Amino acid sequence: MTPRVDGDRMRRDFDTLSSFGATPEGGVSRPTFSEAHLAARQWFLNRAKAEGLGTGVDSAGNHSALLHARNRNASVLLLGSHLDSVPEGGRFDGAIGVVAALHVLLAIKAAGIDLPFNLEAIDFTDEEGTLMGLLGSEALAGTLTPEALQSPRGGRDALLAGLERAALREDRLHEARRDPATLVGYLELHIEQGQRLERERVQIGVVTRIVGSRSFRIVVRGLGGHAGTMPMDARRDAAVAAARIILAAREIVVRDFPDSVITVGDLRLEPAAFNVVAGLARLSLEFRSQHDADLDAIESAIFARFHADSQADGIDLEVTQVARWQPTVLDPSMIEAIERVAGGLRLTTTRLPSSAGHDAQALAPVIPTGMIFVPSIGGVSHDPREETAWEDVVNGANVLLGTVIELSRRRVMG
Ligand code: HGY
Ligand code: MN
Ligand code: MN
C-alpha cells in the first residue's frame, strides 16, 4: 500500500512555519538571512532532528533533512524548495515545498520503506534574490560564478552583510557543489503562482519548462535643483526620465513581445524631498520570457530606446546587469513519472510552463529535475493574500511522495 503524508501534522508544521516572519496582513516577510528566515531554517532542522532524521548545512547555507538508505553511499534524491520569501510575501511560496519534502521523508520512514537511494529534503538559500537569487541551488549545481557574486541583485554590501549574519564565507560557497553523478535528481512541489490550474479546475500542474529572466540596476543622472525656481524647460529631472523608462519598457514589451513580461519593482529618487527636483533615480528592471531569443530582442530594443530618450533629455544612464537565468526545460522522464503518479491518485493533471523562477531551474541543467504545481487561489502570489487550499497542498505532497516511490521502483527495476 503506497503511504500517504499525514495532512494534519503537515498543516500544524506549516502553521508553525508561517509564524516565523508573520505579517499583520496574513503573509510572511522572511528575506534571506533576516531574523525570521534564520529562525525558520533552525525550526526546520530541529523538527527533522526531533523525528530522528539526519540533518546538515552546506557551505552555501542550504539546510537539509536526511533519510538515509541502508547503503549510506547510495546516490541522493533531492526534494525541496526555499524558506526565504520576498518582503511582505505570502505563506505558501517555497514553504509548502520544504514542509512537504520533510513530510515525504517522515511518511517513508514511518512506512519502513527501504529506498535504493538516500532521500534529502532541502531548503535552498536565497531563492528569491534578496541577495542574489538561486544562490544556494546554483552553488549546489556548481554554476555560481565569482562574477555573479560581484554584482548581485541586492548589492555587494547586502550580500556580504548577509553572509556574515549566517556565518557563511563567500570564498567557500562553491564548496557546496555536488557531483551530479551522486544525485538521482531533484523534485520540487510549489504553488503555481498563476491562475491556469484554478481556471481549468485542474488539481496538479506538471511543469514542462521554467521562464528565463534578466535583471538590471539602472541609475538615472539628471540635474537636481529648486522645485520652485528651476524653470520647467531647464530641468533634467531624473524622476521624469525614470518615468519615461518605465513607460517605454511597458510599451515595447506589450506591443512587440506579448508572451513576455517586464517589471520595475523598485524605484528610488534622490534626494527625495518635496521641494527638490530629483537629480538621481535608481531603478530595478527585470524581464522574462520562455525563449532566449526573445530575451535578447527585448534587451536590445529597450536599451536602445532608453539611451535614445535619455540622450535627447540630457540624462546620463548607468546600466548594470545583476542576474541572468536561462529558460529551462524539465526532464521528460520526471514529467512522465509525476503524471503517472497523479493519475494513479485519480488527480487531474495538465502540463504547463512556469512563469515564475524556481530553484529547479538551477538544477535542471545538471540533474533530472521535475516540478509539481498546485493551484493558487486567484493566481495571487508574492503578496499576503497568497492562498492555496490545504487539500491541494496534501494532494501535491502525495504526488511528491508517490513520485519518490515510482523513481525507487524504476531504479530497482533498472
Ligand atoms: O521571481 C520569481 O519568479 C521567484 O518567485 N523567485
Ligand atoms: Mn518560490
Ligand atoms: Mn517567489
Side-chain angles (χ1 to χ4, degrees), residues 82 86 93 127-128 153 193 286 288 355-358 382:
H82 59 92
V86 293
D93 177 356
E127 188 276 342
E128 292 291 4
R153 277 204 322 193
Q193 298 179 294
E286 66 132 78
R288 307 184 182 202
S355 300
H358 299 286
H382 282 190

Side-chain angles (χ1 to χ4, degrees), residues 7 18 38 53 68 90 92 94 114 130 141 192 196 227 251 275 304 407:
S18 302
L38 296 173
L53 296 171
H68 292 293
F92 293 79
D114 190 16
T130 308
E192 180 201 342
R196 172 112 172 246
E251 175 204 316
N275 55 359
L407 294 179

Side-chain angles (χ1 to χ4, degrees), residues 147-172:
E147 298 72 30
L149 286 161
Q150 284 312 311
S151 59
R153 277 204 322 193
R156 274 294 286 174
D157 295 348
L159 175 64
L160 297 177
L163 291 174
E164 192 174 339
R165 266 201 312 281
L168 295 173
R169 284 179 42 187
E170 182 179 6
D171 63 342
R172 296 196 56 193

